[in-house]
Amino acid sequence: MLQIGGYRSTRATDDTTYSFEDVVMMGLAKDGGLFLPSKIPKLDSSFLQEWKDLSFQDLAFKIMEHYVSSDEIPYDDLKKLIERSYGTFRADDVTPIKPLDEKNGLYLLELFHGPTYAFKDVALQFVGNLFEYFLQKRNAGAKTLEERETLTVVGATSGDTGSAAIYGLRGKRDVSVFILYPTGRISPIQEEQMATVEDGNVHTLSVDGTFDDCQDYVKQIFGDVEFNKKHHVGAVNSINWARILAQMTYYFYSFFQLQKKVGADSKIKFVVPSGNFGDILAGYFAKEMGLPAEKLIIATNENDILDRFIKTGRYEKSSDNSKPAEVKATYSPAMDILISSNFERYLWYLVRQNLTDNDIEAGKILNEWMQKLKTEGTFSVPDSVLEQARKTFASERVTNEETVETIKSIYSSNQEKYVLDPHTAVGVKASYRNIENDANKNIKYISLSTAHPAKFAEVVNLSLSDYDGYSFEDQVLPEELKKLATKQKRFILVKEPSLDKIKNIIIEELAKEAK
Ligand SMILES: Cc1ncc(COP(=O)(O)O)c(C=O)c1O
Ligand SMILES: N[C@@H](CCOP(=O)(O)O)C(=O)O
């Protein structure tokens, strides 16, 4: 029997629990909450020895077997799903550690060796295979097309989730995928990655607005009971629990890899460029399970709701509530997010650890906080909750200028002329601030490199084009991505968007697929 005791919604007002299959296929709870395990499994300390030499794939399985019952997915099947998911990665060890500045104890965790060159691939290759597995199981007895259950995946992206979701779902039977992205707010390569995919089950919508607008449309679509009942809407954003689960592996894997390099007694901190709080939340689960990480450091760009929470205990759209909150277009656009949708999961555990020992009471408190956020744009947490958060997390806010300076300094400081993408640069700058301030100079830092620099040509070129001999085409852009520019782009432009307009587009596109 799993330790976790089943899955529940962060906003649950009753004892209903759900299976792993339920939460993967439903995505968002009917009450608008996010699914999470009632309890986070605690590992016996022997895992530190037993797991330290495991492959990425074997480690993924050892973690997942604490969250997925073999009654739901026989473990031989789960192992095959994992193998298939990471067989698409260019690096044999899937997510390698790279020494960046060993003198200062700084290492990069390269997460961009998957099909779309961003960390999202680690989860979305797995989620795509999970959807296929559960649909095959549900359709095993179907004799006609009409009897087959289908999944209509609807996702919002600020650039990377979209392409990773499309590459995880393209061509899969009984699945249609609709990705919404903010027009003009993603990079040319990110748009090319999504819009050049020719598979008939892939639909890309360029929406006039921000990522938060796209995310709001997605959540409203999930909340439309009739639409959801008819079209079986599925989630690929990190509102889907499976995204968080799959992202835990590289925290364990990189921790073990680094300890082998620097010694098992080394203290290690993780630094995570953050926007929707999905990536670092996986680190939180790893730490709560027992991974002895010293600290998790949230690195935000100038869209700093998470940094402001850690600094003030107030979760609010804007630091100046006298005017409407606006998301800033920064040099790390994938993190240009006003409200971090995954933060709700973490808040639920904070409430359960500090304010109540009752899941239903926790749901009531979360409902109150989320309602205040919706109506007043802000809520504050008690001091005990903030103190607890600061035991696990620290945070840094990095500006555009600091992002560019960091790309420059890393490029010019080593023979290899290593090029950072701007999101990774946000994390590296945050790492150096902590390295400078840490009294303990023996602490090691794993800074997550969440995308390949080729995806963000404009900022990389802005930073490096003055250097003699620098060439984006020769030094940064992989051959595979060069080819995208020659392909026909196919997307639906949604001007003056509305929920109904987007739902009608989905219905029309599904009808075309059915022909
Ligand atoms: C390249 C990149 N880095 C960092 C992030 C932040 O990750 P998260 O949204 O899970 O906090 C994202 C996406 O949001 C991203 O696409
Ligand atoms: N940066 C993300 C934004 C969505 O985050 P997710 O964790 O919900 O997928 C993106 O690249 O789309």
Side-chain angles (χ1 to χ4, degrees):
M1 184 62 190
L2 295 176
Q3 282 183 48
I4 61 169
Y7 291 92
R8 61 181 306 110
S9 165
T10 51
R11 304 184 194 181
T13 52
D14 59 34
D15 278 327
T16 309
T17 57
Y18 298 84
S19 69
F20 178 73
E21 179 175 346
D22 288 336
V23 302
V24 170
M25 299 304 277
M26 290 169 67
L28 195 67
K30 290 185 171 57
D31 56 22
L34 301 182
F35 289 116
L36 45 63
S38 301
K39 297 178 185 65
I40 299 177
K42 302 296 181 189
L43 298 172
D44 180 278
S45 57
S46 61
F47 88 93
L48 287 166
Q49 280 304 314
E50 291 164 9
W51 292 10
K52 66 183 178 63
D53 296 316
L54 293 180
S55 69
F56 185 96
Q57 293 83 344
D58 290 344
L59 202 45
F61 171 72
K62 295 300 283 181
I63 295 163
M64 291 181 184
E65 69 173 343
H66 288 275
Y67 294 92
V68 185
S69 161
S70 57
D71 297 335
E72 289 203 75
I73 305 182
Y75 284 164
D76 282 347
D77 290 351
L78 181 56
K79 288 174 182 174
K80 288 176 187 147
L81 283 173
I82 292 167
E83 286 295 335
R84 193 178 329 139
S85 301
Y86 301 117
T88 59
F89 278 60
R90 293 181 298 281
D92 292 342
D93 51 358
V94 186
T95 61
I97 280 265
K98 174 177 183 56
L100 187 69
D101 179 353
E102 291 193 280
K103 184 166 69 65
N104 284 303
L106 178 55
Y107 298 81
L108 285 186
L109 171 54
E110 292 186 344
L111 296 170
F112 51 73
H113 294 287
T116 68
Y117 294 79
F119 84 96
K120 307 289 184 167
D121 290 320
V122 176
L124 284 160
Q125 284 291 304
F126 178 65
V127 169
N129 288 324
L130 267 184
F131 282 157
E132 185 176 55
Y133 180 85
F134 287 131
L135 283 169
Q136 279 173 350
K137 191 170 85 168
R138 292 180 180 193
N139 289 322
K143 294 180 178 56
T144 66
L145 205 55
E146 289 66 36
E147 286 178 352
R148 295 187 71 80
E149 180 175 334
T150 60
L151 192 68
T152 304
V153 169
V154 183
T157 187
S158 56
D160 290 316
T161 292
S163 46
I166 287 170
Y167 279 60
L169 292 165
R170 61 191 298 186
K172 284 195 165 28
R173 191 174 185 187
D174 298 322
V175 178
S176 301
V177 54
F178 293 83
I179 295 296
L180 284 61
Y181 70 86
T183 305
R185 290 176 178 250
I186 67 174
S187 74
I189 279 193
Q190 287 177 316
E191 185 169 71
E192 286 164 8
Q193 282 181 313
M194 291 189 281
T196 59
V197 171
E198 296 173 354
D199 296 77
N201 70 325
V202 171
H203 310 272
T204 304
L205 283 69
S206 176
V207 178
D208 185 11
T210 67
F211 164 77
D212 287 81
D213 296 331
C214 294
Q215 187 163 246
D216 288 346
Y217 288 130
V218 168
K219 288 187 174 179
Q220 290 176 70
I221 286 170
F222 273 92
D224 182 327
V225 174
E226 283 311 306
F227 188 89
N228 206 334
K229 189 176 174 185
K230 181 172 173 50
H231 299 291
H232 301 120
V233 182
V236 283
N237 283 100
S238 51
I239 52 180
N240 192 315
W241 163 251
R243 282 278 310 277
I244 309 302
L245 175 61
Q247 288 169 181
M248 294 178 200
T249 306
Y250 49 72
Y251 287 90
F252 285 92
Y253 188 70
S254 59
F255 185 92
F256 293 132
Q257 295 310 306
L258 185 54
Q259 278 205 329
K260 286 176 196 164
K261 285 180 188 288
V262 300
D265 58 347
S266 298
K267 293 187 184 303
I268 295 173
K269 293 184 180 180
F270 285 98
V271 186
V272 185
S274 295
N276 234 2
F277 201 75
D279 198 353
I280 202 166
L281 183 69
Y284 168 73
F285 275 89
K287 192 170 186 315
E288 288 294 297
M289 288 174 75
L291 187 68
E294 193 71 13
K295 203 85 170 177
L296 301 174
I297 298 168
I298 302 166
T300 77
N301 61 26
E302 295 170 45
N303 294 291
D304 55 358
I305 185 170
L306 295 168
D307 179 57
R308 284 184 282 115
F309 175 82
I310 295 296
K311 301 285 170 44
T312 69
R314 287 192 308 276
Y315 193 66
E316 49 193 5
K317 290 183 180 179
S318 166
S319 53
D320 177 359
N321 283 322
S322 65
K323 54 191 178 196
E326 285 186 0
V327 70
K328 289 178 185 168
T330 74
Y331 289 168
S332 45
M335 301 194 304
D336 290 350
I337 295 173
L338 211 53
I339 299 287
S340 305
S341 71
N342 256 296
F343 199 59
E344 181 172 341
R345 284 189 168 110
Y346 177 54
L347 288 170
W348 191 88
Y349 288 110
L350 281 175
V351 167
R352 282 292 276 100
Q353 289 161 7
N354 295 280
L355 302 181
T356 175
D357 59 2
N358 179 296
D359 285 1
I360 294 174
E361 186 55 36
K364 284 179 184 163
I365 294 171
L366 259 295
N367 267 304
E368 286 163 14
W369 287 354
M370 291 303 120
Q371 193 55 31
K372 269 179 71 88
L373 182 65
K374 190 174 182 179
T375 55
E376 301 169 30
T378 181
F379 64 85
S380 293
V381 301
D383 290 346
S384 62
V385 170
L386 181 56
E387 282 159 29
Q388 175 85 33
R390 287 173 173 168
K391 286 177 185 168
T392 304
F393 293 99
S395 70
E396 299 289 349
R397 176 187 188 273
V398 177
T399 65
N400 278 342
E401 292 70 26
E402 291 168 324
T403 302
V404 168
E405 275 316 305
T406 304
I407 295 171
K408 286 174 180 287
S409 67
I410 296 297
Y411 179 81
S412 56
S413 64
N414 61 63
Q415 291 302 318
E416 184 191 356
K417 299 197 180 310
Y418 190 83
V419 180
L420 299 178
D421 101 278
H423 306 80
T424 305
V426 168
V428 168
K429 177 62 181 178
S431 301
Y432 273 116
R433 268 196 214 140
N434 280 267
I435 289 167
E436 285 157 24
N437 296 334
D438 259 328
N440 179 349
K441 297 303 177 188
N442 294 320
I443 288 178
K444 308 301 180 192
Y445 285 80
I446 297 177
S447 201
L448 273 62
S449 183
T450 51
H452 190 284
K455 299 191 77 171
F456 303 96
E458 185 181 355
V459 177
V460 170
N461 288 330
L462 172 72
S463 307
L464 302 180
S465 51
D466 292 343
Y467 287 90
D468 287 344
Y470 166 74
S471 163
F472 182 80
E473 282 63 34
D474 297 341
Q475 289 174 269
V476 184
L477 189 59
E479 282 306 315
E480 183 184 349
L481 296 183
K482 281 178 184 167
K483 295 171 189 162
L484 292 178
T486 65
K487 291 188 173 182
Q488 182 73 29
K489 285 196 293 188
R490 173 176 68 96
F491 60 84
I492 300 167
L493 190 56
V494 188
K495 292 183 176 178
E496 297 171 10
S498 68
L499 179 60
D500 284 342
K501 187 179 278 190
I502 289 167
K503 287 196 295 187
N504 288 334
I505 289 170
I506 293 171
I507 292 166
E508 287 159 13
E509 291 298 301
L510 287 173
K512 288 177 192 172
E513 271 192 60
K515 284 178 183 163

